[in-house]
Amino acid sequence: VEARVRLGDVGEFGLIDRIAALVQATGKAVRPGVGQVTLGIGDDASLLEIPPDRTLVTTVDTLVEEVHFRRDWTGPEDLGWKSLAVNVSDIAAMAAEPLAAFLSLALPPETEVAWVESFIRGMAECAWEYGCAIAGGDTVRSRERVAITVTLLGTVERGRALLRSGARLGDAICVTGTLGDSAAGLALLQKGKGGPGPRGKRVKTLDTLIIAHLRPRPRLDAARALAASGQVTAMMDLSDGLASDLRHLTARSGVGARVWRNSLPVSDAVSAVAPLLGVDPTEWALHGGEDYELLFAAVPQSIELLRPMRVPITVVGTIVEEGVWLLEADGSEKALEPRGFAHFQTRD
Ligand code: ADP
Ligand code: MG
């Protein structure tokens, strides 16, 4: 019975009550020392206490139906997870720790309450995993499409935020994990393989890639450890693809970069699936977005010090004076042009 209840039936405040009940537990997850939510959902605004030796860090991301996600490919729980995870990734990339998330939802009145509750459960799961509270938000009506805006506040030890702007000539360019998994997962979804539904029915390899796309796991602990090492000069998260994001990092640092195609870390799953779809896996690694791995520059002599971390680290290139270059397997070199997902561009 409950499954058929729509937003129009319970109204804005009925929905907010349900959201509040579902997120209550997340507040307890906040990491010690990061700050504290002393008043969450239910009043005109929330109250947060921040330790005096920390700086507030904020980020916001919006996901629009048919632009960033499709409801037939993405189940509500995965979407809830991802809406927060993409913000956690930005906070992590600053070497900060998440504190409290704010959720603005624009929903058509026909939306099922159960869909929103599943969304909140997925988001709360992510909040729990990364140690932050869901401390407020806004709920409005939209005509046809769902739009989700998550604002995430975090804190970092004063003066310790890691910016995009510190890379220096000769630094090693590194990434965590593997690249292209999310792009491969998206390609599989586009081919009609996967989507919401029982996970058990998906083939294992395809599963890994689709999950990488639908449930990214931002590198919060790795980012903190990298920052604490004192060897990292610049850092950002990979949301648009290496070719595109590396341009942002080099531009902010006033340097250039050379990347070696042969060095790009590609997972076994991507290597297995790419030929089936007629794609060069390193193209996914260079241009696929939404991996939410860390891209950073570090003093070259320090890389061995960083390796014992639990997350794999790969050196993919080096900081040069200017330009962004790709060294091919045959030794030739060409400009590495961004081809990542860019809004307001209508190519493909
Ligand atoms: P106001 O009209 O004063 O802005 P609202 O009625 O929009 O207040 O919100 C009431 C309370 O519910 C606030 O604490 C707000 O943060 C919270 N809230 C509203 N919508 C959401 C949502 N989608 N997710 C989480 N909290 C929400
Ligand atoms: Mg108010």
Side-chain angles (χ1 to χ4, degrees), residues 260-308:
W260 316 303
R261 190 186 287 273
N262 279 347
S263 71
L264 298 170
V266 171
S267 68
D268 292 343
V270 164
S271 301
V273 163
L276 304 178
L277 298 183
V279 179
D280 176 345
T282 60
E283 287 295 300
W284 273 336
L286 287 170
H287 301 291
E290 302 202 299
D291 280 319
Y292 300 104
E293 294 292 349
L294 296 166
L295 167 66
F296 62 94
V299 185
Q301 298 82 349
S302 71
I303 301 302
E304 292 312 315
L305 298 175
L306 302 177
R307 283 208 203 278

Side-chain angles (χ1 to χ4, degrees), residues 45-326:
S46 67
L47 299 175
L48 311 179
E49 297 297 330
I50 294 159
D53 55 342
R54 294 180 78 96
T55 301
L56 187 65
V57 184
T58 70
T59 184
V60 57
D61 253 300
T62 297
L63 300 177
V64 176
E65 184 177 359
E66 303 298 328
V67 179
H68 304 92
F69 67 90
R70 287 181 43 173
R71 270 195 274 174
D72 49 349
W73 292 350
T74 312
E77 282 210 45
D78 288 342
L79 190 60
W81 172 283
K82 189 167 178 176
S83 301
L84 179 55
V86 299
N87 286 284
V88 170
S89 183
D90 281 320
I91 292 288
M94 303 299 287
E97 293 175 276
L99 169 59
F102 297 84
L103 169 66
S104 173
L105 285 173
L107 301 165
E110 302 78 40
T111 315
E112 287 181 14
V113 171
W115 189 92
V116 184
E117 289 183 324
S118 294
F119 175 94
I120 298 292
R121 262 185 232 108
M123 182 173 170
E125 206 185 315
C126 184
W128 181 264
E129 176 86 19
Y130 289 98
C132 70
I134 298 172
D138 195 22
T139 307
V140 298
R141 165 205 293 260
S142 93
R143 283 252 300 273
E144 284 166 34
R145 288 178 187 170
V146 174
I148 301 150
T149 301
V150 174
T151 303
L152 183 60
L153 310 188
T155 67
V156 64
E157 297 85 347
R158 195 172 297 281
R160 292 298 174 86
L162 256 183
L163 312 186
R164 297 177 176 184
S165 54
R168 287 166 306 191
L169 193 62
D171 281 353
I173 300 168
C174 308
V175 298
T176 56
T178 55
L179 304 181
D181 298 69
S182 178
L186 177 60
L188 289 169
L189 288 170
Q190 284 166 339
K191 294 256 178 254
K193 313 238 191 280
R199 287 245 166 82
K201 284 197 183 155
R202 296 182 200 149
V203 186
K204 183 108 192 315
T205 301
L206 307 190
D207 230 46
T208 324
L209 299 173
I210 289 169
I211 291 169
H213 182 72
L214 296 179
R215 285 227 168 199
R217 303 191 56 88
R219 300 291 196 183
L220 180 60
D221 291 335
R224 296 284 300 165
L226 286 168
S229 76
Q231 306 297 321
V232 173
T233 54
M235 187 160 74
M236 68 183 294
D237 71 323
L238 283 167
S239 54
D240 295 339
L242 179 63
S244 174
D245 289 326
L246 191 51
R247 270 182 189 267
H248 298 307
L249 188 139
T250 53
R252 298 294 297 180
S253 294
V255 294
R258 179 184 296 114
V259 169
W260 316 303
R261 190 186 287 273
N262 279 347
S263 71
L264 298 170
V266 171
S267 68
D268 292 343
V270 164
S271 301
V273 163
L276 304 178
L277 298 183
V279 179
D280 176 345
T282 60
E283 287 295 300
W284 273 336
L286 287 170
H287 301 291
E290 302 202 299
D291 280 319
Y292 300 104
E293 294 292 349
L294 296 166
L295 167 66
F296 62 94
V299 185
Q301 298 82 349
S302 71
I303 301 302
E304 292 312 315
L305 298 175
L306 302 177
R307 283 208 203 278
M309 292 194 351
R310 257 188 282 164
V311 176
I313 288 171
T314 309
V315 180
V316 297
T318 185
I319 295 289
V320 300
E321 253 166 53
E322 57 183 357
V324 178
W325 308 97
L326 179 66

